[in-house]
Amino acid sequence: ALCIAVVMGLAVLAAGCGGGDKKAAPAAPAKKVIKISIGLNEQSHEYAGLKKFKEEVEKNSKGRYEVQLYANAQLGDDVKATEALRAGTLEMTAPSTSPLTGMSKELGVFDLPFIFPNSEVAYKVLDGPVGQKILDSLQSKGLVGLAFWDNGFRHLTNSVREVKTPEDVKGMKVRTMQNPMHLAAWKALGANPTPMPFSEVFTAMQQKTIDGQENPVPTIYQQKFYEVQKYCTLTGHIYTPFVVLMSKKVWDGMSKEDQKIFKDAAVVARDHERKVSADMNKSQVEKLRQAGMTVTELTPAQLKAFQDAVAPVYGEFSGKIGADIVKAVQEEVKKLTKK
Ligand code: KDG
């Protein structure tokens, strides 16, 4: 009898185990990983935007997505990362628009010198119908543009001399982004421009293979360019946005609901990033001075000399960008400036 009881007990145990196995909850679906690559560092205004973006996507997808952030061009500079999106080997990046004009000519409208009078007007144009049209034009290139974030008005820094007039930049080796309009503008000023990806700029300044570069105040400060550049002139010559991009291959594989989560997150993060950028622009001019830089503000007459010198860029490039898109931006700017 004992024997039978033991055998029955084992049978019950075995049945219990088997049943347990069958009823086990299905394994939670693996988190979908979205990698985002940028060229700037973890202290940048742009990275502050990425952190907000990550938070929003992970919260609103209830943890179904994990957003991984990569700074310092770890996954490639602007052009390489964007090409990886087109190939579908990287999910997201947020480059300056300037190095992408070879892929999408419409983006070149932002590279026209002095096209925006201030950030507020730039934001309204970028967030309005004209900006949307430019984002939409990226779809045919295998890219989905989610939003424009603030990079900022670009200013000249150099290690040679204080710059107040176009004459002062004559012969100066200035790094620009890989963009034909930037090259043309600096050539028109008499400089010797050299296009280069962002990750090479600090070392090039340190080793003096270039004399100067141009970037917004938050980048000059957060990337510690003041360690290798003595002079900064607040030229504000070009406004370049960042464009938050997703691979169209990845986007097309998402549900409508998930697409909306990503689009909304890019917009919420945009507003946060612009605030961070505005704060940095406000406080960091003084910080650059404290760090030992000579920061020069131009008088209206001095600024006009720069504007006049680069004006021919419009005639040379408007047709290449698309006369209609240039006109649309200019008309929008005019309307917004009147108010
Ligand atoms: O993350 C953005 C950077 O890769 C780059 O676009 C920054 O403005 C920039 C530059 O000068 O290259």
Side-chain angles (χ1 to χ4, degrees):
L2 185 70
C3 205
I4 288 171
V6 168
V7 168
M8 276 179 66
L10 282 176
V12 166
L13 258 179
C17 283
D21 269 357
K22 266 177 221 142
K23 275 182 224 134
K31 271 186 201 239
K32 292 185 188 128
V33 172
I34 300 288
K35 294 195 189 83
I36 311 184
S37 162
I38 61 165
L40 298 182
N41 65 20
E42 287 94 346
Q43 285 72 44
S44 61
H45 49 350
E46 187 175 31
Y47 199 82
L50 290 191
K51 283 196 280 189
K52 185 77 183 169
F53 179 78
K54 171 182 169 70
E55 191 186 302
E56 286 290 307
V57 167
E58 291 180 356
K59 180 182 75 190
N60 295 330
S61 71
K62 310 217 160 38
R64 284 184 296 109
Y65 283 92
E66 181 188 340
V67 179
Q68 295 178 354
L69 312 181
Y70 295 86
N72 302 309
Q74 282 171 72
L75 303 183
D77 265 300
D78 289 356
V79 173
K80 276 223 180 87
T82 307
E83 276 166 1
L85 259 60
R86 298 177 75 181
T89 53
L90 175 66
E91 291 81 19
M92 291 187 72
T93 184
S96 294
T97 50
S98 312
L100 307 188
T101 56
M103 297 175 201
S104 172
K105 57 184 175 41
E106 289 87 349
L107 290 175
V109 70
F110 306 123
D111 300 302
L112 290 168
F114 301 103
I115 195 154
F116 293 124
N118 57 53
S119 317
E120 287 64 39
V121 167
Y123 297 164
K124 284 198 180 126
V125 174
L126 292 165
D127 302 346
V130 181
Q132 189 56 50
K133 204 172 155 196
I134 296 172
L135 289 180
D136 291 346
S137 74
L138 297 168
Q139 292 252 356
S140 63
K141 314 291 186 243
L143 301 166
V144 177
L146 298 182
F148 289 111
W149 290 4
D150 191 65
N151 189 355
F153 284 96
R154 305 179 76 86
H155 307 294
L156 176 68
T157 70
N158 83 91
S159 59
V160 183
R161 68 180 81 89
E162 185 178 7
V163 170
K164 288 181 176 167
T165 67
E167 285 71 49
D168 296 330
V169 300
K170 285 244 147 58
M172 211 176 254
K173 266 192 236 148
V174 179
R175 175 268 175 173
T176 69
M177 292 191 275
Q178 302 113 298
N179 176 286
M181 277 158 277
H182 294 221
L183 284 173
W186 288 101
K187 273 187 196 147
L189 286 164
N192 181 5
T194 318
M196 190 184 290
F198 185 77
S199 60
E200 295 168 21
V201 177
F202 192 94
T203 309
M205 291 189 295
Q206 201 167 34
Q207 297 179 345
K208 299 250 166 49
T209 50
I210 52 171
D211 300 316
Q213 65 84 45
E214 41 85 63
N215 250 297
V217 167
T219 299
I220 297 169
Y221 186 73
Q222 303 292 14
Q223 302 281 152
K224 296 192 167 46
F225 285 179
Y226 51 80
E227 289 182 353
V228 288
Q229 300 274 277
K230 171 78 183 148
Y231 305 99
C232 175
T233 301
L234 300 176
T235 45
H237 50 279
I238 289 172
Y239 177 91
T240 47
F242 293 127
V243 59
V244 180
L245 297 173
M246 181 176 270
S247 161
K248 189 166 185 302
K249 287 192 177 156
V250 175
W251 177 262
D252 288 345
M254 282 180 168
S255 67
K256 284 266 168 311
E257 293 72 31
D258 287 357
Q259 288 176 350
K260 184 168 163 21
I261 288 173
F262 277 80
K263 171 81 192 171
D264 291 351
V267 170
V268 170
R270 172 194 75 198
D271 294 344
H272 175 70
E273 191 263 354
R274 284 179 182 169
K275 243 185 245 140
V276 172
S277 178
D279 288 347
M280 287 182 173
N281 271 288
K282 223 194 244 158
S283 64
Q284 291 181 345
V285 169
E286 203 41 47
K287 287 190 176 164
L288 289 176
R289 290 196 172 112
Q290 284 162 10
M293 260 189 149
T294 302
V295 182
T296 306
E297 283 169 58
L298 297 174
T299 65
Q302 286 171 333
L303 188 62
K304 189 161 183 306
F306 281 91
Q307 288 171 334
D308 290 348
V310 298
V313 173
Y314 278 73
E316 195 184 336
F317 287 95
S318 292
K320 291 179 189 156
I321 298 162
D324 49 337
I325 205 98
V326 175
K327 205 168 139 222
V329 169
Q330 284 176 321
E331 273 171 8
E332 202 60 23
V333 169
K334 215 191 260 167
K335 247 197 290 172
L336 292 161
T337 319
K338 261 191 207 147
K339 275 178 205 160

